Amino acid sequence: SDDPLYDADALFQNTSPVTPPLPSIIRVPITDDDIPALVLTPRRLNVLEGGAVSYAAMLGARPTDSVTVSITGDDQVETSTNTLTFDPNNWMTPQSVTVNAVDDDNVEGPHLSDLIHAISSDDSNYQGMAPEVVTVDIADDDSPSIFISPSALQLDEGGSSELYDVVLTTEPSADVVVDITHDDQITVDQQSLRFAPEDWDQPKSVAVTAVDDGIDESSLPDTHPSNISHSASSNDLQYN
């Protein structure tokens, strides 16, 4: 530049009290998409007995050969497929797996079921890779409780709202009121929900919005948790 303060040759010759400008650097974090892995989203599911929920699977890097993913679980769940196949052309395309929770007559309360994903391939980067797990939280429809789905939401401060559903797991003998409490990080569009013996199995939606509090939270992790609690009251003693 004709301005000696910006001229590279003059940068080390300038003896004026004016500090030369420092190089402008923009740091861009880049997520590596070349790590061999089985990517499962989400890894935790929430479902009521007799209901269904889905997750997606894809690979984290292009394989040199076909990759087979074998899915096994226990007798609490059934999956829409037991095998997924990825190749060098479709490795980035998510494949959906539907999970059905078996509706049995056992009074067992909330229980878990793990879906094990075993990986095999002639590609040495994938062969021998440790199995990946999706955990399924199952709500028992043979014992009274409140079922919430999904069990987690991701929100941006000041961003759009997200919905979750609330429903009872068994028919009550009287109205059930579900009270909703939360902290000051979020708002909800309803503070309570009422279920009657006529509509106990019809989900009711709640909209959640993250409050844009104007507080600099850059020292905190990228996300910070906010919990929503649900409590029931009823003349039906099983729900009270």
Side-chain angles (χ1 to χ4, degrees):
S1 171
D2 291 335
D3 184 336
L5 294 178
Y6 284 90
D7 188 75
D9 293 332
L11 184 60
F12 299 101
Q13 303 170 10
N14 178 33
T15 58
S16 72
V18 179
T19 302
L22 296 175
S24 296
I25 299 175
I26 299 176
R27 301 189 183 279
V28 182
I30 300 174
T31 301
D32 189 357
D33 65 352
D34 298 312
I35 300 176
L38 176 62
V39 181
L40 303 171
T41 309
R43 288 180 173 267
R44 190 114 188 181
L45 304 174
N46 197 30
V47 65
L48 179 65
E49 279 188 350
V53 67
S54 297
Y55 66 96
M58 61 182 287
L59 300 185
R62 183 189 301 275
T64 59
D65 209 322
S66 294
V67 176
T68 300
V69 179
S70 300
I71 306 171
T72 57
D74 56 26
D75 59 0
Q76 297 287 337
V77 295
E78 297 172 346
T79 55
S80 57
T81 182
N82 294 322
T83 304
L84 302 173
T85 301
F86 297 93
D87 58 39
N89 296 316
N90 73 350
W91 65 278
M92 285 188 69
T93 302
Q95 297 188 33
S96 180
V97 179
T98 300
V99 182
N100 293 279
V102 175
D103 189 3
D104 56 33
D105 295 324
N106 301 324
V107 179
E108 51 199 336
H111 47 289
L112 300 177
S113 179
D114 286 338
L115 295 173
I116 310 300
H117 299 71
I119 304 162
S120 60
S121 176
D122 287 336
D123 182 337
S124 59
N125 288 319
Y126 283 96
Q127 178 61 31
M129 186 174 289
E132 298 288 350
V133 179
V134 168
T135 299
V136 185
D137 289 285
I138 304 172
D140 186 12
D141 66 352
D142 299 298
S143 56
S145 65
I146 302 168
F147 177 68
I148 297 167
S149 180
S151 57
L153 300 174
Q154 180 112 18
L155 301 171
D156 295 321
E157 284 192 357
S160 59
S161 300
E162 294 288 341
L163 299 176
Y164 70 91
D165 290 335
V166 181
V167 71
L168 303 184
T169 58
T170 60
E171 181 178 350
S173 60
D175 286 7
V176 177
V177 176
V178 177
D179 291 316
I180 302 171
T181 57
H182 55 86
D183 57 29
D184 58 2
Q185 294 286 329
I186 59 171
T187 62
V188 295
D189 66 342
Q190 301 185 72
Q191 300 299 322
S192 65
L193 304 171
R194 180 178 292 274
F195 294 90
E198 296 78 24
D199 68 354
W200 66 275
D201 58 350
Q202 298 175 26
K204 300 181 187 297
S205 296
V206 179
V208 185
T209 306
V211 174
D212 190 358
D213 51 24
I215 299 173
D216 181 4
E217 297 167 306
S218 58
S219 61
L220 300 175
D222 290 340
T223 61
H224 46 283
S226 180
N227 295 320
I228 304 174
S229 300
H230 303 78
S231 59
S233 59
S234 175
N235 288 330
D236 181 338
L237 298 180
Q238 295 190 92
Y239 278 97
N240 195 45

PDB file of all heavy atoms in Angstrom, residues 1 9 11 18 25 27 37 44 65 79 81 92-93 97 106 114 120 151 153 171 174-175 205 211 213 228:
ATOM      1  N   SER A   1       0.848  -1.191   0.000  1.00  0.00           N
ATOM      2  CA  SER A   1       0.000   0.000   0.000  1.00  0.00           C
ATOM      3  C   SER A   1       0.877   1.232   0.000  1.00  0.00           C
ATOM      4  O   SER A   1       2.028   1.219   0.490  1.00  0.00           O
ATOM      5  CB  SER A   1      -0.927  -0.010   1.224  1.00  0.00           C
ATOM      6  OG  SER A   1      -1.598   1.240   1.352  1.00  0.00           O
ATOM      7  N   ASP A   9       6.611  -4.102   3.377  1.00  0.00           N
ATOM      8  CA  ASP A   9       8.033  -3.818   3.479  1.00  0.00           C
ATOM      9  C   ASP A   9       8.322  -2.803   4.571  1.00  0.00           C
ATOM     10  O   ASP A   9       9.383  -2.802   5.167  1.00  0.00           O
ATOM     11  CB  ASP A   9       8.563  -3.293   2.138  1.00  0.00           C
ATOM     12  CG  ASP A   9       8.517  -4.373   1.064  1.00  0.00           C
ATOM     13  OD1 ASP A   9       8.613  -5.558   1.448  1.00  0.00           O
ATOM     14  OD2 ASP A   9       8.395  -4.025  -0.112  1.00  0.00           O
ATOM     15  N   LEU A  11       6.521  -2.440   7.280  1.00  0.00           N
ATOM     16  CA  LEU A  11       5.907  -2.850   8.544  1.00  0.00           C
ATOM     17  C   LEU A  11       6.918  -2.846   9.684  1.00  0.00           C
ATOM     18  O   LEU A  11       6.617  -2.414  10.789  1.00  0.00           O
ATOM     19  CB  LEU A  11       5.305  -4.239   8.389  1.00  0.00           C
ATOM     20  CG  LEU A  11       4.542  -4.782   9.608  1.00  0.00           C
ATOM     21  CD1 LEU A  11       3.374  -3.855   9.937  1.00  0.00           C
ATOM     22  CD2 LEU A  11       4.036  -6.197   9.342  1.00  0.00           C
ATOM     23  N   VAL A  18       2.125   4.878  16.236  1.00  0.00           N
ATOM     24  CA  VAL A  18       0.924   4.195  15.809  1.00  0.00           C
ATOM     25  C   VAL A  18       1.230   2.708  15.640  1.00  0.00           C
ATOM     26  O   VAL A  18       2.171   2.337  14.942  1.00  0.00           O
ATOM     27  CB  VAL A  18       0.392   4.773  14.491  1.00  0.00           C
ATOM     28  CG1 VAL A  18      -0.848   4.024  14.047  1.00  0.00           C
ATOM     29  CG2 VAL A  18       0.110   6.259  14.641  1.00  0.00           C
ATOM     30  N   ILE A  25      -7.622 -12.530  11.279  1.00  0.00           N
ATOM     31  CA  ILE A  25      -7.743 -13.979  11.205  1.00  0.00           C
ATOM     32  C   ILE A  25      -9.146 -14.391  11.604  1.00  0.00           C
ATOM     33  O   ILE A  25      -9.659 -13.940  12.632  1.00  0.00           O
ATOM     34  CB  ILE A  25      -6.719 -14.671  12.124  1.00  0.00           C
ATOM     35  CG1 ILE A  25      -5.293 -14.289  11.692  1.00  0.00           C
ATOM     36  CG2 ILE A  25      -6.906 -16.181  12.108  1.00  0.00           C
ATOM     37  CD1 ILE A  25      -4.229 -14.824  12.612  1.00  0.00           C
ATOM     38  N   ARG A  27     -11.202 -17.703  12.592  1.00  0.00           N
ATOM     39  CA  ARG A  27     -11.050 -19.114  12.924  1.00  0.00           C
ATOM     40  C   ARG A  27     -12.357 -19.840  12.607  1.00  0.00           C
ATOM     41  O   ARG A  27     -13.408 -19.471  13.121  1.00  0.00           O
ATOM     42  CB  ARG A  27     -10.666 -19.277  14.391  1.00  0.00           C
ATOM     43  CG  ARG A  27      -9.356 -18.572  14.733  1.00  0.00           C
ATOM     44  CD  ARG A  27      -8.870 -18.918  16.130  1.00  0.00           C
ATOM     45  NE  ARG A  27      -7.662 -18.180  16.454  1.00  0.00           N
ATOM     46  CZ  ARG A  27      -6.445 -18.521  16.070  1.00  0.00           C
ATOM     47  NH1 ARG A  27      -6.288 -19.623  15.343  1.00  0.00           N
ATOM     48  NH2 ARG A  27      -5.402 -17.800  16.402  1.00  0.00           N
ATOM     49  N   ALA A  37     -17.045 -44.419  10.991  1.00  0.00           N
ATOM     50  CA  ALA A  37     -17.914 -44.607  12.152  1.00  0.00           C
ATOM     51  C   ALA A  37     -19.317 -44.911  11.661  1.00  0.00           C
ATOM     52  O   ALA A  37     -19.674 -44.599  10.515  1.00  0.00           O
ATOM     53  CB  ALA A  37     -17.931 -43.361  13.034  1.00  0.00           C
ATOM     54  N   ARG A  44     -31.001 -42.335  21.636  1.00  0.00           N
ATOM     55  CA  ARG A  44     -31.936 -42.669  22.715  1.00  0.00           C
ATOM     56  C   ARG A  44     -33.345 -42.398  22.213  1.00  0.00           C
ATOM     57  O   ARG A  44     -33.631 -41.319  21.699  1.00  0.00           O
ATOM     58  CB  ARG A  44     -31.652 -41.828  23.957  1.00  0.00           C
ATOM     59  CG  ARG A  44     -32.421 -42.285  25.198  1.00  0.00           C
ATOM     60  CD  ARG A  44     -31.476 -42.801  26.239  1.00  0.00           C
ATOM     61  NE  ARG A  44     -32.145 -43.412  27.375  1.00  0.00           N
ATOM     62  CZ  ARG A  44     -31.512 -43.917  28.404  1.00  0.00           C
ATOM     63  NH1 ARG A  44     -30.201 -43.921  28.451  1.00  0.00           N
ATOM     64  NH2 ARG A  44     -32.162 -44.479  29.410  1.00  0.00           N
ATOM     65  N   ASP A  65     -15.434 -50.592   0.468  1.00  0.00           N
ATOM     66  CA  ASP A  65     -16.226 -51.765   0.118  1.00  0.00           C
ATOM     67  C   ASP A  65     -17.549 -51.665   0.870  1.00  0.00           C
ATOM     68  O   ASP A  65     -17.758 -50.762   1.687  1.00  0.00           O
ATOM     69  CB  ASP A  65     -15.488 -53.045   0.499  1.00  0.00           C
ATOM     70  CG  ASP A  65     -15.868 -54.220  -0.414  1.00  0.00           C
ATOM     71  OD1 ASP A  65     -17.060 -54.303  -0.776  1.00  0.00           O
ATOM     72  OD2 ASP A  65     -14.983 -55.034  -0.745  1.00  0.00           O
ATOM     73  N   THR A  79     -37.865 -54.415  15.010  1.00  0.00           N
ATOM     74  CA  THR A  79     -37.367 -53.390  14.092  1.00  0.00           C
ATOM     75  C   THR A  79     -37.841 -53.671  12.672  1.00  0.00           C
ATOM     76  O   THR A  79     -38.088 -54.821  12.296  1.00  0.00           O
ATOM     77  CB  THR A  79     -35.828 -53.341  14.113  1.00  0.00           C
ATOM     78  OG1 THR A  79     -35.302 -54.633  13.826  1.00  0.00           O
ATOM     79  CG2 THR A  79     -35.332 -52.891  15.486  1.00  0.00           C
ATOM     80  N   THR A  81     -36.211 -53.534  10.034  1.00  0.00           N
ATOM     81  CA  THR A  81     -35.197 -54.300   9.306  1.00  0.00           C
ATOM     82  C   THR A  81     -34.155 -54.775  10.293  1.00  0.00           C
ATOM     83  O   THR A  81     -33.936 -54.144  11.335  1.00  0.00           O
ATOM     84  CB  THR A  81     -34.538 -53.456   8.199  1.00  0.00           C
ATOM     85  OG1 THR A  81     -33.590 -54.260   7.494  1.00  0.00           O
ATOM     86  CG2 THR A  81     -33.836 -52.245   8.774  1.00  0.00           C
ATOM     87  N   MET A  92     -23.413 -41.788   2.725  1.00  0.00           N
ATOM     88  CA  MET A  92     -23.858 -40.560   3.385  1.00  0.00           C
ATOM     89  C   MET A  92     -25.376 -40.424   3.423  1.00  0.00           C
ATOM     90  O   MET A  92     -25.900 -39.468   4.007  1.00  0.00           O
ATOM     91  CB  MET A  92     -23.266 -39.328   2.679  1.00  0.00           C
ATOM     92  CG  MET A  92     -21.807 -39.083   2.967  1.00  0.00           C
ATOM     93  SD  MET A  92     -21.246 -37.488   2.303  1.00  0.00           S
ATOM     94  CE  MET A  92     -22.135 -36.363   3.372  1.00  0.00           C
ATOM     95  N   THR A  93     -26.094 -41.344   2.821  1.00  0.00           N
ATOM     96  CA  THR A  93     -27.557 -41.278   2.788  1.00  0.00           C
ATOM     97  C   THR A  93     -28.136 -41.965   4.026  1.00  0.00           C
ATOM     98  O   THR A  93     -27.954 -43.175   4.203  1.00  0.00           O
ATOM     99  CB  THR A  93     -28.106 -41.966   1.527  1.00  0.00           C
ATOM    100  OG1 THR A  93     -27.539 -41.340   0.364  1.00  0.00           O
ATOM    101  CG2 THR A  93     -29.623 -41.844   1.477  1.00  0.00           C
ATOM    102  N   VAL A  97     -34.704 -46.652  10.433  1.00  0.00           N
ATOM    103  CA  VAL A  97     -35.108 -47.896  11.097  1.00  0.00           C
ATOM    104  C   VAL A  97     -36.274 -47.562  12.032  1.00  0.00           C
ATOM    105  O   VAL A  97     -36.169 -46.662  12.868  1.00  0.00           O
ATOM    106  CB  VAL A  97     -33.962 -48.520  11.911  1.00  0.00           C
ATOM    107  CG1 VAL A  97     -34.432 -49.795  12.606  1.00  0.00           C
ATOM    108  CG2 VAL A  97     -32.758 -48.788  11.018  1.00  0.00           C
ATOM    109  N   ASN A 106     -47.655 -57.650  30.586  1.00  0.00           N
ATOM    110  CA  ASN A 106     -46.886 -57.663  31.824  1.00  0.00           C
ATOM    111  C   ASN A 106     -46.878 -56.287  32.474  1.00  0.00           C
ATOM    112  O   ASN A 106     -46.639 -55.283  31.806  1.00  0.00           O
ATOM    113  CB  ASN A 106     -45.438 -58.097  31.556  1.00  0.00           C
ATOM    114  CG  ASN A 106     -45.360 -59.473  30.937  1.00  0.00           C
ATOM    115  OD1 ASN A 106     -46.158 -60.355  31.272  1.00  0.00           O
ATOM    116  ND2 ASN A 106     -44.409 -59.667  30.036  1.00  0.00           N
ATOM    117  N   ASP A 114     -32.023 -52.404  24.500  1.00  0.00           N
ATOM    118  CA  ASP A 114     -30.884 -51.958  23.699  1.00  0.00           C
ATOM    119  C   ASP A 114     -30.889 -52.626  22.332  1.00  0.00           C
ATOM    120  O   ASP A 114     -31.086 -53.844  22.222  1.00  0.00           O
ATOM    121  CB  ASP A 114     -29.564 -52.281  24.408  1.00  0.00           C
ATOM    122  CG  ASP A 114     -29.301 -51.368  25.580  1.00  0.00           C
ATOM    123  OD1 ASP A 114     -29.864 -50.259  25.613  1.00  0.00           O
ATOM    124  OD2 ASP A 114     -28.529 -51.763  26.480  1.00  0.00           O
ATOM    125  N   SER A 120     -19.715 -55.183   9.885  1.00  0.00           N
ATOM    126  CA  SER A 120     -18.780 -56.067   9.187  1.00  0.00           C
ATOM    127  C   SER A 120     -18.520 -55.523   7.786  1.00  0.00           C
ATOM    128  O   SER A 120     -19.410 -54.945   7.156  1.00  0.00           O
ATOM    129  CB  SER A 120     -19.321 -57.496   9.108  1.00  0.00           C
ATOM    130  OG  SER A 120     -20.547 -57.533   8.404  1.00  0.00           O
ATOM    131  N   SER A 151     -38.450 -37.146  24.641  1.00  0.00           N
ATOM    132  CA  SER A 151     -38.024 -36.866  26.012  1.00  0.00           C
ATOM    133  C   SER A 151     -36.964 -35.775  26.077  1.00  0.00           C
ATOM    134  O   SER A 151     -36.541 -35.392  27.165  1.00  0.00           O
ATOM    135  CB  SER A 151     -37.498 -38.148  26.666  1.00  0.00           C
ATOM    136  OG  SER A 151     -36.431 -38.692  25.903  1.00  0.00           O
ATOM    137  N   LEU A 153     -35.544 -31.998  23.853  1.00  0.00           N
ATOM    138  CA  LEU A 153     -35.693 -31.035  22.767  1.00  0.00           C
ATOM    139  C   LEU A 153     -34.406 -30.225  22.655  1.00  0.00           C
ATOM    140  O   LEU A 153     -33.695 -30.035  23.640  1.00  0.00           O
ATOM    141  CB  LEU A 153     -36.862 -30.074  23.044  1.00  0.00           C
ATOM    142  CG  LEU A 153     -38.259 -30.675  23.203  1.00  0.00           C
ATOM    143  CD1 LEU A 153     -39.244 -29.589  23.621  1.00  0.00           C
ATOM    144  CD2 LEU A 153     -38.718 -31.337  21.919  1.00  0.00           C
ATOM    145  N   GLU A 171     -56.187 -46.039  31.253  1.00  0.00           N
ATOM    146  CA  GLU A 171     -57.442 -45.293  31.415  1.00  0.00           C
ATOM    147  C   GLU A 171     -57.701 -45.012  32.903  1.00  0.00           C
ATOM    148  O   GLU A 171     -57.737 -45.932  33.723  1.00  0.00           O
ATOM    149  CB  GLU A 171     -58.612 -46.079  30.836  1.00  0.00           C
ATOM    150  CG  GLU A 171     -59.946 -45.344  30.953  1.00  0.00           C
ATOM    151  CD  GLU A 171     -61.095 -46.108  30.331  1.00  0.00           C
ATOM    152  OE1 GLU A 171     -60.837 -47.117  29.635  1.00  0.00           O
ATOM    153  OE2 GLU A 171     -62.255 -45.697  30.551  1.00  0.00           O
ATOM    154  N   ALA A 174     -61.115 -41.225  36.847  1.00  0.00           N
ATOM    155  CA  ALA A 174     -61.517 -39.825  37.027  1.00  0.00           C
ATOM    156  C   ALA A 174     -60.545 -38.943  36.263  1.00  0.00           C
ATOM    157  O   ALA A 174     -59.497 -39.415  35.779  1.00  0.00           O
ATOM    158  CB  ALA A 174     -61.521 -39.457  38.515  1.00  0.00           C
ATOM    159  N   ASP A 175     -60.884 -37.667  36.115  1.00  0.00           N
ATOM    160  CA  ASP A 175     -60.005 -36.743  35.407  1.00  0.00           C
ATOM    161  C   ASP A 175     -58.624 -36.700  36.065  1.00  0.00           C
ATOM    162  O   ASP A 175     -58.500 -36.779  37.297  1.00  0.00           O
ATOM    163  CB  ASP A 175     -60.598 -35.337  35.401  1.00  0.00           C
ATOM    164  CG  ASP A 175     -61.767 -35.202  34.433  1.00  0.00           C
ATOM    165  OD1 ASP A 175     -62.187 -36.240  33.875  1.00  0.00           O
ATOM    166  OD2 ASP A 175     -62.256 -34.071  34.244  1.00  0.00           O
ATOM    167  N   SER A 205     -50.349 -31.673  23.015  1.00  0.00           N
ATOM    168  CA  SER A 205     -49.051 -31.076  22.684  1.00  0.00           C
ATOM    169  C   SER A 205     -48.755 -29.859  23.549  1.00  0.00           C
ATOM    170  O   SER A 205     -49.647 -29.091  23.914  1.00  0.00           O
ATOM    171  CB  SER A 205     -49.011 -30.667  21.211  1.00  0.00           C
ATOM    172  OG  SER A 205     -49.111 -31.805  20.366  1.00  0.00           O
ATOM    173  N   VAL A 211     -35.964 -18.853  26.181  1.00  0.00           N
ATOM    174  CA  VAL A 211     -35.978 -17.415  26.436  1.00  0.00           C
ATOM    175  C   VAL A 211     -34.665 -16.787  25.971  1.00  0.00           C
ATOM    176  O   VAL A 211     -33.580 -17.288  26.276  1.00  0.00           O
ATOM    177  CB  VAL A 211     -36.190 -17.144  27.939  1.00  0.00           C
ATOM    178  CG1 VAL A 211     -36.062 -15.647  28.229  1.00  0.00           C
ATOM    179  CG2 VAL A 211     -37.545 -17.663  28.381  1.00  0.00           C
ATOM    180  N   ASP A 213     -32.470 -14.335  26.897  1.00  0.00           N
ATOM    181  CA  ASP A 213     -32.316 -13.564  28.132  1.00  0.00           C
ATOM    182  C   ASP A 213     -31.330 -12.412  28.040  1.00  0.00           C
ATOM    183  O   ASP A 213     -31.190 -11.623  28.973  1.00  0.00           O
ATOM    184  CB  ASP A 213     -31.915 -14.486  29.287  1.00  0.00           C
ATOM    185  CG  ASP A 213     -30.716 -15.355  28.939  1.00  0.00           C
ATOM    186  OD1 ASP A 213     -29.938 -14.961  28.057  1.00  0.00           O
ATOM    187  OD2 ASP A 213     -30.568 -16.417  29.562  1.00  0.00           O
ATOM    188  N   ILE A 228     -38.079 -29.715  32.445  1.00  0.00           N
ATOM    189  CA  ILE A 228     -39.524 -29.536  32.580  1.00  0.00           C
ATOM    190  C   ILE A 228     -40.048 -30.712  33.394  1.00  0.00           C
ATOM    191  O   ILE A 228     -39.810 -31.870  33.041  1.00  0.00           O
ATOM    192  CB  ILE A 228     -40.215 -29.497  31.205  1.00  0.00           C
ATOM    193  CG1 ILE A 228     -39.601 -28.402  30.329  1.00  0.00           C
ATOM    194  CG2 ILE A 228     -41.711 -29.270  31.368  1.00  0.00           C
ATOM    195  CD1 ILE A 228     -40.125 -28.404  28.906  1.00  0.00           C
TER     196      ILE A 228
END
